[in-house]
């Protein structure tokens, strides 16, 4: 459950987010909007990389300003990046271990947790492959493994589908759908691919110029004329 | 600095193990039993210094290879470690091991302070700040000198200088060289333990990017500070080893320029490999001694080092160690090819 209250983020003269208020209770929530709408900024506020200028965010009832940035992973806030951040000179298994080092294991054996996370992301056979030998798709999936190991409560994905081949996109889709059931974490999914959003997200929040212009069940929101004008119109123009 | 272009290089642990272990045992056997017995006094003392400086170079390479950070203060920290080791050894007459550890811990604390700017800076700025710290250490050491058996806080004697007590097990040079080699081995073990474990993974995440580390829950401040403290500890141990080897330390032997030299030769040796620091130690002490043996002017060494550094920066980013590895690879391929051609 994410509660955003009157959140504004100011970068010098630019507004990343503008008085955004929203409550996101659904297990898989989409976050869409045109380029520069503030999607990544919202994820950055939740991960602690960007400090809100005003307003607050709560996750599962906890005000995030009380959670220091390096403790957010342990609290359960995880993410993947728009520009993938796999550590090249660690193996896939070590990449996951590096996160597991800092989050609760609930007394389960580390090795097993790492293997389960890799298997969940479809990397069961790649445990000992160094990061620099993984292909683009495997890196994406490795980020998901890192984000789901050890009791996450919120997994945020920033454009995980960008640049994937068809069958890879389908696998990604099925993995995203399973995250909630697999580890109980809420998923916040940013993507420009409307098909991916409508196939995976029960509810969707639409941002434009840093504010919410629509929120509701995905199909309904995507059919909203206001959304089509702000977002889909832009999308049709650019593609 | 060159840290971006070197990022994909594997850190210390990925050296091929089975062969590495075998080589290690062979080296240990030769180093510990045969070599010390066969050497002249001059070369015994030289190799004692080489072991100490290998540990010093290990301290530089730890920071550089694990975090891409340049510290130009590590030789100054040798002086700090040496000072405290001498002080406690003369003042309290404690066993050598305790004096050595005290020197290590003292240098770790100073190293930690030197590392504080690293929380905000990197690259050239960090290098300059650490160099200034090395300058400060140089000023302090040349003003106060090293303890040599006197009384008072500074422990300066007015009469004859007293030698530092050596370890109970290693009174003569031959035994002390063995002792120093074992300590150097333990230092390698300590670094390996870190690199293979949780700190190594955290450092790798930080090197990838700070957002990557934060998202993975790494406490960046703590792990950077810890790296500097560990590097300081190693430098302090090196200083204590040096003090024990010579018996006393010379206040003019720890100028800031030596820290630059140590860093440069660590790069020449190869900061990303466990052989690199050994190469650096040999270059720093054995190479000038060798020139001396052949009655060549020792200053030639400095010129050779300069050329070596240029060579490393331009063509061999992994230093001599990287070239050795390539050579071994080539030889292996050749042998493998021959074997395949045979029956
Ligand atoms: N660190 C920053 N400094 C200054 N401006 C920023 C910063 N981060 C984002 N912005 C600005 O804030 C606005 C929102 O950016 P944001 O990256 O959140 O958009 P986005 O919705 O993720 O877009 P995209 O779909 O292109 O990824 C943009 O105008 C951007 O230029
Ligand atoms: Mg974005």
């Amino acid at each position: 459950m994410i509660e955003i209250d009157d959140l504004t983020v100011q970068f010098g003269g630019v507004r990343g987010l503008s008085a955004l208020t929203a409550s996101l209770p659904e297990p898989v929530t989409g976050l869409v909007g045109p380029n520069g709408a503030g999607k990544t900024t919202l994820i950055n506020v939740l991960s602690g990389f960007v400090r809100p200028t005003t307003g607050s965010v709560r996750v599962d009832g906890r005000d995030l300003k009380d959670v220091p940035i390096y403790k957010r992973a342990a609290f359960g806030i995880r993410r993947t990046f728009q520009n993938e951040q796999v550590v090249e000179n660690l193996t896939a298994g070590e990449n996951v271990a590096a996160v597991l080092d800092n989050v609760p294991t609930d007394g389960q054996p580390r090795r097993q947790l790492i293997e389960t996370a890799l298997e969940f992301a479809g990397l069961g056979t790649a445990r000992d492959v160094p990061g620099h030998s993984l292909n683009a798709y495997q890196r994406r999936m490795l980020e998901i493994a890192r984000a789901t190991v050890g009791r996450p409560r919120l997994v945020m994905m920033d454009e995980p589908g960008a640049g994937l081949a068809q069958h890879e996109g389908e696998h990604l889709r099925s993995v995203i759908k399973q995250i909630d059931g697999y580890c109980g974490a809420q998923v916040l999914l940013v993507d420009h691919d409307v098909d991916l959003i409508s196939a995976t997200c029960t509810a969707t929040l639409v941002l434009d110029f840093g504010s919410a212009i629509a929120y509701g069940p995905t199909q309904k929101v995507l059919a909203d004329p206001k959304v089509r004008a702000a977002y889909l119109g832009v999308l049709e123009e650019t593609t | 600095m060159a840290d971006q272009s070197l990022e994909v290089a594997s850190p210390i642990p990925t050296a091929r193990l089975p062969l590495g272990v075998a080589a290690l045992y062979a080296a240990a056997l030769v180093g510990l039993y045969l070599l010390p017995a066969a050497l002249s006094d001059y070369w015994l003392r030289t190799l004692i210094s080489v072991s100490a400086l290998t540990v010093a170079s290990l301290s530089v390479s730890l920071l550089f290879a694990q975090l891409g950070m340049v510290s130009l203060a590590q030789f100054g920290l040798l002086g700090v470690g040496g000072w405290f080791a001498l002080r406690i050894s003369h003042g309290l007459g404690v066993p050598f091991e305790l004096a050595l550890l005290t020197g290590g811990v003292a240098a770790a604390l100073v190293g930690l302070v030197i590392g504080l700017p690293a929380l905000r800076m990197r690259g050239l700025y960090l290098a300059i700040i650490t160099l200034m710290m090395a300058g400060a250490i140089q000023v302090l050491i040349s003003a106060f000198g090293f303890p040599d058996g006197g009384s008072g806080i500074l422990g300066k004697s007015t009469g004859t200088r007293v030698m530092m007590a050596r370890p109970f097990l290693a009174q003569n040079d031959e035994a002390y060289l063995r002792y120093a080699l074992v300590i150097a081995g333990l230092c390698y073990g300590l670094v390996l333990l870190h690199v293979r474990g949780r700190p190594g993974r955290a450092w790798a995440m930080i090197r990838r990017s700070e957002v990557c580390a934060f998202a993975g829950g790494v406490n960046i401040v703590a792990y950077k500070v810890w790296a500097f403290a560990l590097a300081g500890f190693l430098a302090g141990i090196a200083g204590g080893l040096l003090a024990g080897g010579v018996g006393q330390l010379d206040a003019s032997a720890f100028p800031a320029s030596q820290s630059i030299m140590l860093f440069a030769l660590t790069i020449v040796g190869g900061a990303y490999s466990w052989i690199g620091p050994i190469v650096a130690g040999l270059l720093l002490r054995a190479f000038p001694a060798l020139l001396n043996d052949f009655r060549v002017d020792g200053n030639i060494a400095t010129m050779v080092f300069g050329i070596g550094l240029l060579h490393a920066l331009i063509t061999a980013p992994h230093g001599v160690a990287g070239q050795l590895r390539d050579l071994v690879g080539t030889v292996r391929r050749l042998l493998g090819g021959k074997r395949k051609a045979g029956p």
Side-chain angles (χ1 to χ4, degrees):
Chain A
M1 172 82 174
I2 308 172
E3 292 157 283
I4 303 160
D5 184 25
D6 193 31
L7 182 65
T8 297
V9 172
Q10 192 88 34
F11 298 108
V14 181
R15 277 214 156 166
L17 288 172
S18 173
L20 175 66
T21 299
S23 181
L24 309 173
E26 292 293 318
V28 188
T29 305
L31 180 58
V32 299
N35 291 111
K39 307 180 294 293
T40 301
T41 304
L42 178 58
I43 289 189
N44 282 341
V45 169
L46 287 159
S47 350
F49 299 164
V50 167
R51 210 176 274 272
T53 312
T54 60
S56 66
V57 276
R58 292 167 167 278
V59 170
D60 292 352
R62 178 92 177 263
D63 191 334
L64 290 190
K65 81 169 185 300
D66 303 334
V67 186
I69 172 166
Y70 68 89
K71 289 208 173 131
R72 293 201 184 186
F75 173 62
I77 297 181
R78 308 291 189 74
R79 67 177 291 173
T80 67
F81 290 90
Q82 201 165 347
N83 310 314
E84 145 286 302
Q85 296 283 343
V86 163
V87 182
E88 250 134 33
N89 45 14
L90 295 182
T91 64
E94 287 167 340
N95 264 278
V96 177
V99 175
L100 190 60
D101 282 337
N102 311 304
V103 302
T105 57
D106 294 334
Q108 277 162 282
R110 286 170 50 84
R111 202 188 161 82
Q112 190 190 320
L113 286 173
I114 293 167
E115 260 158 32
T116 318
L118 286 171
E119 254 154 47
F120 174 69
L123 293 172
T125 54
R127 193 189 74 198
D128 298 324
V129 179
H132 57 77
S133 302
L134 297 172
N135 64 33
Y137 179 60
Q138 290 173 313
R139 286 163 183 240
R140 284 279 165 73
M141 299 316 285
L142 180 51
E143 285 211 311
I144 293 181
R146 285 200 312 205
T148 50
V149 75
R151 211 199 314 150
R153 52 173 93 225
L154 171 63
V155 174
M156 305 179 289
M157 288 188 255
D158 202 350
E159 306 202 18
L164 295 186
Q166 171 113 31
H167 66 282
E168 295 169 341
E170 271 156 24
H171 179 227
L172 175 72
R173 204 173 280 198
S174 79
V175 169
I176 291 174
K177 280 188 191 165
Q178 289 167 44
I179 288 181
D180 179 48
Y182 162 70
C183 61
Q186 184 181 7
V187 176
L188 185 64
L189 176 62
V190 171
D191 214 289
H192 285 292
D193 177 356
V194 177
D195 286 343
L196 177 64
I197 297 283
S198 47
T200 53
C201 301
T202 40
T204 294
L205 173 69
V206 186
L207 294 183
D208 197 13
F209 295 111
S211 307
I213 57 169
Y215 174 76
T218 304
Q219 304 311 331
K220 219 169 120 193
V221 165
L222 292 178
D224 185 337
K226 208 167 47 177
V227 174
R228 299 191 76 86
Y231 179 58
L232 302 176
V234 173
L235 193 72
E236 271 152 28
E237 266 168 39
T238 52
T239 47
Chain B
M1 284 294 302
D3 53 22
Q4 279 93 351
S5 59
L6 298 179
E7 206 138 49
V8 274
S10 40
I12 294 169
T14 30
R16 281 160 302 254
L17 259 193
L19 201 101
V21 169
L24 219 62
Y25 278 121
L29 200 72
V30 174
L32 289 179
Y33 285 98
L34 308 179
L35 204 62
L39 290 169
S40 69
D41 284 357
Y42 175 69
W43 275 98
L44 277 178
R45 261 173 273 133
T46 301
L47 286 191
I48 288 170
S49 300
V50 169
S51 342
L53 287 169
T54 293
V55 176
S57 168
L58 186 62
S59 136
V60 173
S61 84
L62 171 76
L63 288 174
F64 188 70
Q66 295 301 311
L67 284 168
M69 294 200 291
V70 176
S71 170
L72 297 181
Q74 299 309 109
F75 206 86
L77 291 177
L78 255 72
V80 173
W83 196 95
F84 280 92
L86 283 167
R87 188 70 201 88
I88 192 166
S89 169
H90 287 313
L92 300 177
V94 297
F96 182 82
E97 287 73 20
L98 199 60
L100 195 63
L101 269 181
T102 309
V105 170
L109 292 176
V110 178
L112 190 153
V113 172
I114 288 177
L116 291 181
L119 302 178
R120 304 195 147 268
M121 297 177 205
R122 16 184 324 124
L124 189 59
Y125 298 102
L126 180 61
I128 290 171
I129 289 274
T130 54
L131 186 60
M132 285 163 64
M133 306 258 194
I137 294 174
Q138 172 186 348
V139 169
L140 287 175
I141 287 180
S142 42
F144 297 121
F146 284 100
D148 51 7
S151 56
I153 293 179
L154 295 177
K156 292 290 291 176
S157 85
T158 43
T160 46
R161 304 186 72 182
V162 181
M163 294 289 168
M164 183 180 181
R166 279 192 173 176
F168 176 70
L169 287 170
Q171 294 291 326
N172 61 21
D173 282 350
E174 194 183 316
Y176 191 80
L177 174 56
R178 291 194 179 110
Y179 187 90
L181 288 170
V182 168
I183 297 286
L186 289 177
C187 288
Y188 265 97
L190 183 64
V191 169
L192 194 67
L193 217 61
H194 275 81
V195 169
R196 284 279 175 88
R198 186 175 164 164
R201 290 190 289 270
W203 290 332
M205 299 266 273
I206 296 172
R207 203 168 58 232
R208 178 66 179 84
S209 75
E210 302 219 328
V211 289
C212 167
F214 272 134
V218 173
N219 187 340
I220 296 184
V221 170
Y223 279 104
K224 277 191 176 175
V225 165
W226 182 244
F228 266 92
L230 178 62
F233 178 78
L234 294 171
I237 294 287
L241 273 183
L242 216 52
V246 189
Q248 55 194 19
L249 290 174
D250 180 355
S252 65
F254 296 88
S257 60
Q258 278 294 312
S259 286
I260 301 180
M261 185 69 97
L262 178 64
F263 178 79
L265 289 185
T266 301
I267 298 301
V268 172
Y272 292 96
S273 154
W274 62 273
I275 303 173
I278 298 174
V279 175
L282 287 168
L283 285 174
L284 273 162
R285 285 297 179 271
F287 182 59
L290 200 65
L291 291 182
N292 197 28
D293 259 11
F294 289 108
R295 310 237 183 282
V296 179
D297 184 358
N299 287 329
I300 298 274
T302 314
M303 276 171 63
V304 172
F305 293 163
I307 296 167
L309 183 61
L310 278 181
H311 171 63
L313 290 179
I314 296 168
T315 62
H318 293 173
V320 175
Q323 291 180 314
L324 282 177
R325 197 168 48 205
D326 292 349
L327 191 69
V328 169
T330 313
V331 169
R332 255 199 208 151
R333 253 196 319 280
L334 286 177
L335 290 179
K338 253 186 214 152
R339 219 172 281 146
K340 239 175 257 158

